[in-house]
């Protein structure tokens, strides 16, 4: 498995958009496949946010994660954010998610950030195992979640 920038393998953008639509289309405004394609096209950065990472095995996309400057309108002072973290169910349990989180943390560190944030709706315990800490409850897109942070 290798983790690459989406900018280096943009042919996977439609797959990621399908994943996002399936997982979050019901809660994100403009949550159509086309809307996710448009949003992901802004994540083709290499040295500036937002950017997306893709886990690949033999050219097959296994998961993705993004680093974004902002994620919650209610917390504009917090940056950067780990977002768009997704591994399809059939690929879970193989360490892909952890590898993506670690790659995103490393990339953010290389970009000069000292901390990183995320919101978790249902994976708080998993992120805790990876060393993230809870900053308390929050709400995003009308869903309850937990705001989390890690030091880089």
């Amino acid at each position: 498995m290798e983790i690459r920038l989406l900018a280096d393998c943009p042919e996977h953008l439609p797959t990621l958009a399908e994943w996002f639509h399936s997982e979050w289309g019901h809660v994100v405004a403009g949550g159509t496949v086309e809307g996710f394609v448009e949003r992901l096209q802004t994540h083709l950065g290499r040295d500036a946010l937002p950017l997306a990472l893709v886990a690949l095995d033999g050219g097959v996309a296994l998961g993705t994660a993004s680093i974004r400057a902002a994620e919650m309108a209610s917390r504009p002072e917090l940056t950067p954010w780990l977002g768009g973290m997704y591994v399809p169910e059939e690929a879970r349990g193989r360490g892909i998610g952890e590898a993506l989180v670690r790659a995103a943390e490393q990339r953010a560190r290389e970009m000069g950030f000292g901390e990183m944030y995320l919101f978790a709706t249902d994976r708080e315990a998993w992120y805790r195992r990876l060393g993230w800490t809870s900053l308390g409850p929050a709400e995003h897109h009308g869903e309850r979640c937990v705001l989390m942070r890690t030091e880089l």
Side-chain angles (χ1 to χ4, degrees), residues 39-103:
R39 183 170 183 192
L40 283 165
Q41 286 173 336
T42 69
H43 288 59
L44 295 173
R46 287 185 167 79
D47 299 314
L49 301 181
L51 61 83
L53 303 168
V54 183
L56 301 166
D57 186 12
V60 176
L62 300 175
T64 185
S66 296
I67 307 171
R68 301 174 180 144
E71 189 73 353
M72 293 182 103
S74 62
R75 300 302 302 264
E77 76 280 10
L78 304 181
T79 195
W81 291 78
L82 175 66
M85 177 67 198
Y86 184 78
V87 176
E89 194 169 326
E90 64 272 11
R92 293 178 188 165
R94 298 170 35 193
I96 298 164
E98 181 174 356
L100 283 162
V101 170
R102 297 301 182 216

Side-chain angles (χ1 to χ4, degrees), residues 2-145:
E2 65 176 327
I3 296 178
R4 298 179 59 198
L5 289 168
L6 180 60
D8 295 331
C9 53
E11 66 274 14
H12 295 288
L13 198 147
T15 299
L16 276 56
E18 289 284 346
W19 289 345
F20 287 11
H21 176 260
S22 173
E23 186 71 12
W24 299 298
H26 66 285
V27 294
V28 175
T32 63
V33 173
E34 296 78 17
F36 284 113
V37 166
E38 288 177 22
R39 183 170 183 192
L40 283 165
Q41 286 173 336
T42 69
H43 288 59
L44 295 173
R46 287 185 167 79
D47 299 314
L49 301 181
L51 61 83
L53 303 168
V54 183
L56 301 166
D57 186 12
V60 176
L62 300 175
T64 185
S66 296
I67 307 171
R68 301 174 180 144
E71 189 73 353
M72 293 182 103
S74 62
R75 300 302 302 264
E77 76 280 10
L78 304 181
T79 195
W81 291 78
L82 175 66
M85 177 67 198
Y86 184 78
V87 176
E89 194 169 326
E90 64 272 11
R92 293 178 188 165
R94 298 170 35 193
I96 298 164
E98 181 174 356
L100 283 162
V101 170
R102 297 301 182 216
E105 290 170 346
Q106 179 62 33
R107 190 71 177 197
R109 189 178 302 111
E110 290 169 358
M111 294 176 83
F113 295 106
E115 56 197 10
M116 194 172 200
Y117 301 88
L118 65 79
F119 66 88
T121 56
D122 62 349
R123 303 271 188 242
E124 179 183 1
W126 186 78
Y127 285 109
R128 281 184 187 280
R129 285 194 306 274
L130 298 181
W132 290 69
T133 57
S134 173
L135 296 178
E139 187 175 301
H140 189 59
H141 291 298
E143 288 193 41
R144 292 182 184 191
C145 60

